[in-house]
Amino acid sequence: MVFVDGKVLVFMGFIMLISGIHSSEASGSASGTFGFDIHHRYSNPVRSIFDFDGLPEKHSFDYYAAMAHRDRYNRGRYLAGTTTPVTFVAGNDTHRLNSLGFLYYANVSVGTPELWFLVALDTGSDLFWLPCDCTTSCVRGLVTRSGKRIDFNMYSPDTSSTGMTVPCNSTMCDARRRACSASRNACAYEVSYLSSNTSSTGLLVEDVLHLATDDSQQKVVDAPITLGCGIVQTGGFLDGAAPNGLFGLGMDTISVPSTLASKGLAANSFSMCFGNDGIGRIVFGDKGSTDQGETPFNLHQLHPAYNISITQIAVGENITDVDFTAIFDSGTSFTYVNDPAYSIITENFNSRVQQPRYPSDSQIPFEFCYNLSPNETRSDIPPLNLTMKGGDPFSITDPLELFSLSNNRYIYCLAVIKSGDVNIIGENFMTGYRVVFNRENMTLGWKPSNCECSLFLLPHATTY
C-alpha cells in the first residue's frame, strides 16, 4: 500500500503469540537477538486461546476467500549491546472479533510505567505507531464471542515519564520535511492508503521499548525508539486491521530494526520463520547462517522494499529462464505473479497433474484446481522451484491449498493468483523456511526450518 508522503505500509497474515523468553549472542559481536513466537490467525493454538468470532473453517471456501479478499485489500500498497526477546505471555487478554486482517501480532511493552500493546508486525511500513490520546478515531477494545470485553491500552506521552514529543526543530522532523504542529511544537506524521481510506495521523514521540539482556540476570534494557502517537485512525484501522498499533519493520531509518541496530542493541537484520502448522518465530538481530540460500535486494525502487530477482522457474523437469522481480511479503497470504511467469507456472503444473480439473468456481480465488478421489493423496504433484539471482534455489515446499467440499470430498488448488501489477511472493511460498531480511548485507536469506527449536536453548547461537 503506497502512502502519501512516500510512506509504505504492509499488513501481515499472522497472529503472534509469544510464549517465552529466548535469546542468543553472536560470538565476538556486541549485538544480540530478539525473538517472538508467531501464529497464524487460523492456527489451532490461536483457536484454542482466543475467543474469536467468525473464524471460517480451515480448508473451507470461506477460509480461502477471506484470505484472498485480505490480499486484494493489501496488494494496492505496492502501486502508488545484547538483548533478549520480548514476550507475549499466553493468556494475556488480546482478542479479536470477526477479523484481524490476517496479520502477525506481538505483545510489546512501551513507556514508563510500561503498558502492553498488541501490535501488527509489518515488513512494508517503517513507523511504529500506537493509538494515542484519541477519543473516537481509534479502537478502544473488543468484545469476544462469549461477550467478554477486552480493553486495549491507550498510549500517551503525557503519562509516560520517559515519553516526549519530537519538536519541530529536530533534525528528524526537518530531514523528512514533516509538518509541524505549531500548537504543540511537535513533529507531525500522516500515513495513508491510496485506497480504502485507511490512515494514521498523529505526532512523533520518543520513548522506550522494554527488552531484556541475554544473560543469567535477565536485566531489562530500555531501548530508545521513535514512534508515532496515533491520534486519528481511519478505514481499516477501525475495522480490525492493527487495532492496537503497527510495528514497522521496513528499511527506513525510523523503523524498529533500524533503530535497534543504530543503538547497538541488535544487528541490522531479522528473520521470520513460517512453520507448516501455522506457527513460527521472528527474531531481531538474526543474520542467518553460512549454509542458507541468499539473493541480493533490488535497491533501485521508488519505495525501498524487500524486492528480489527471479531468474528461473522449474515445474517438474521443465526449466524456463525468466527475468522478473518480486517482493517477499509475509503480509500477503498467497503468491501473485504476472505473465509470462504465471502461465509458465500454471500451464506446466496443469500438464503434469493426473487428477481431473475442477470446474471454475467464483468462490475460489485460484484458477487451477483438481478433484481428489476418496483416499487419494497428492504424492504425484510436480515439484515447483524458483532460482534467485545469484543462482541459489528456492524450493516451494507446498504450493497447494486444500478445500473441503460436502460429502467428505476434497479438491486441491495451486495457490498462485494472476497479478495485474506487482509480483508478490506470499506467505504460502515461504512456508517451511526461516527467511532472513539482512539489511546489513542487503540480502534475503532462507533455510528450511520447522520453527520449533528455541533460541533459549541455544544461548550462543544466532540460528534456529
Side-chain angles (χ1 to χ4, degrees):
M1 300 163 195
V2 177
F3 285 81
V4 296
D5 297 329
K7 304 296 181 294
V8 180
L9 175 62
V10 178
F11 277 10
M12 302 198 161
F14 285 71
I15 289 172
M16 172 167 290
L17 304 177
I18 303 171
S19 56
I21 296 180
H22 312 286
S23 61
S24 70
E25 181 177 350
S27 176
S29 171
S31 298
T33 61
F34 307 83
F36 308 89
D37 291 338
I38 51 179
H39 296 250
H40 193 282
R41 170 177 178 258
Y42 288 168
S43 67
N44 288 333
V46 173
R47 286 176 173 272
S48 64
I49 295 173
F50 290 165
D51 184 18
F52 284 128
D53 188 16
L55 293 184
E57 186 68 26
K58 193 171 184 180
H59 306 312
S60 68
F61 286 152
D62 288 343
Y63 174 86
Y64 293 105
M67 294 178 80
H69 173 75
R70 199 272 322 168
D71 283 346
R72 288 193 294 272
Y73 178 79
N74 289 336
R75 284 169 57 236
R77 63 184 177 268
Y78 299 113
L79 303 178
T82 60
T83 60
T84 60
V86 289
T87 63
F88 173 62
V89 180
N92 274 5
D93 289 330
T94 52
H95 296 248
R96 175 67 187 116
L97 284 168
N98 299 322
S99 175
L100 279 173
F102 296 90
L103 314 181
Y104 281 98
Y105 287 86
N107 185 36
V108 300
S109 297
V110 175
T112 307
E114 63 183 89
L115 293 176
W116 65 262
F117 298 89
L118 181 65
V119 296
L121 299 173
D122 185 356
T123 59
S125 71
D126 301 308
L127 183 65
F128 169 28
W129 61 262
L130 296 171
C132 170
D133 290 341
C134 56
T135 56
T136 58
S137 297
C138 57
V139 178
R140 308 285 300 193
L142 301 169
V143 178
T144 68
R145 181 172 46 197
S146 61
K148 182 180 179 181
R149 170 77 183 184
I150 304 299
D151 292 321
F152 287 147
N153 282 322
M154 186 69 59
Y155 177 78
S156 175
D158 295 334
T159 59
S160 173
S161 63
T162 48
M164 63 181 67
T165 56
V166 175
C168 294
N169 62 358
S170 72
T171 55
M172 177 180 297
C173 195
D174 181 65
R176 297 170 184 277
R177 297 188 296 276
R178 297 184 186 273
C180 175
S181 173
S183 62
R184 297 195 178 191
N185 184 31
C187 188
Y189 79 89
E190 179 179 2
V191 286
S192 302
Y193 292 105
L194 289 181
S195 60
S196 303
N197 189 34
T198 299
S199 67
S200 176
T201 304
L203 305 174
L204 291 184
V205 173
E206 293 177 343
D207 211 327
V208 292
L209 175 66
H210 298 288
L211 307 167
T213 58
D214 181 21
D215 56 24
S216 59
Q217 296 182 4
Q218 295 290 291
K219 183 180 179 181
V220 171
V221 173
D222 294 335
I225 59 167
T226 300
L227 67 149
C229 167
I231 300 172
V232 177
Q233 276 64 248
T234 64
F237 294 139
L238 302 179
D239 296 331
N244 199 215
L246 193 74
F247 197 90
L249 295 167
M251 289 188 170
D252 194 84
T253 56
I254 203 172
S255 74
V256 171
S258 299
T259 300
L260 296 179
S262 68
K263 302 294 184 182
L265 299 174
N268 194 13
S269 182
F270 68 94
S271 67
M272 290 185 174
C273 192
F274 303 87
N276 291 296
D277 56 359
I279 302 173
R281 288 182 52 80
I282 182 170
V283 178
F284 296 101
D286 182 9
K287 294 192 285 188
S289 56
T290 57
D291 58 346
Q292 69 183 10
E294 284 189 347
T295 192
F297 291 131
N298 298 315
L299 301 178
H300 305 293
Q301 306 293 321
L302 179 61
H303 301 290
Y306 300 115
N307 184 299
I308 53 85
S309 294
I310 297 173
T311 61
Q312 210 170 62
I313 297 173
V315 184
E317 297 180 353
N318 182 281
I319 300 175
T320 306
D321 291 332
V322 294
D323 183 13
F324 69 97
T325 64
I327 295 172
F328 258 67
D329 177 18
S330 57
T332 300
S333 300
F334 306 123
T335 294
Y336 294 75
V337 290
N338 290 297
D339 273 331
Y342 177 78
S343 294
I344 292 170
I345 294 173
T346 56
E347 291 176 6
N348 279 291
F349 182 88
N350 185 60
S351 68
R352 287 163 173 77
V353 171
Q354 302 300 315
Q355 289 84 8
R357 183 93 173 263
Y358 185 77
S360 177
D361 192 321
S362 61
Q363 297 184 74
I364 303 175
F366 313 116
E367 183 179 1
F368 289 85
C369 299
Y370 306 88
N371 288 293
L372 276 177
S373 301
N375 302 320
E376 188 176 13
T377 66
R378 299 175 292 170
S379 59
D380 59 344
I381 299 304
L384 173 59
N385 300 283
L386 306 177
T387 300
M388 305 300 184
K389 183 178 180 179
D392 285 344
F394 187 91
S395 301
I396 313 305
T397 60
D398 188 3
L400 309 179
E401 296 292 351
L402 185 67
F403 286 84
S404 175
L405 306 180
S406 59
N407 300 323
N408 294 320
R409 295 184 302 122
Y410 290 90
I411 63 170
Y412 69 88
C413 300
L414 178 62
V416 179
I417 299 173
K418 188 173 184 178
S419 176
D421 35 70
V422 68
N423 298 304
I424 301 173
I425 303 300
E427 172 268 320
N428 66 323
F429 271 31
M430 289 183 263
T431 298
Y433 284 97
R434 179 188 48 150
V435 181
V436 179
F437 301 83
N438 191 325
R439 298 117 56 79
E440 288 186 0
N441 298 334
M442 288 299 174
T443 57
L444 182 86
W446 61 91
K447 182 179 179 179
S449 176
N450 60 13
C451 309
E452 292 181 356
C453 186
S454 170
L455 287 172
F456 185 71
L457 301 177
L458 302 170
H460 298 292
T462 58
T463 62
Y464 293 96

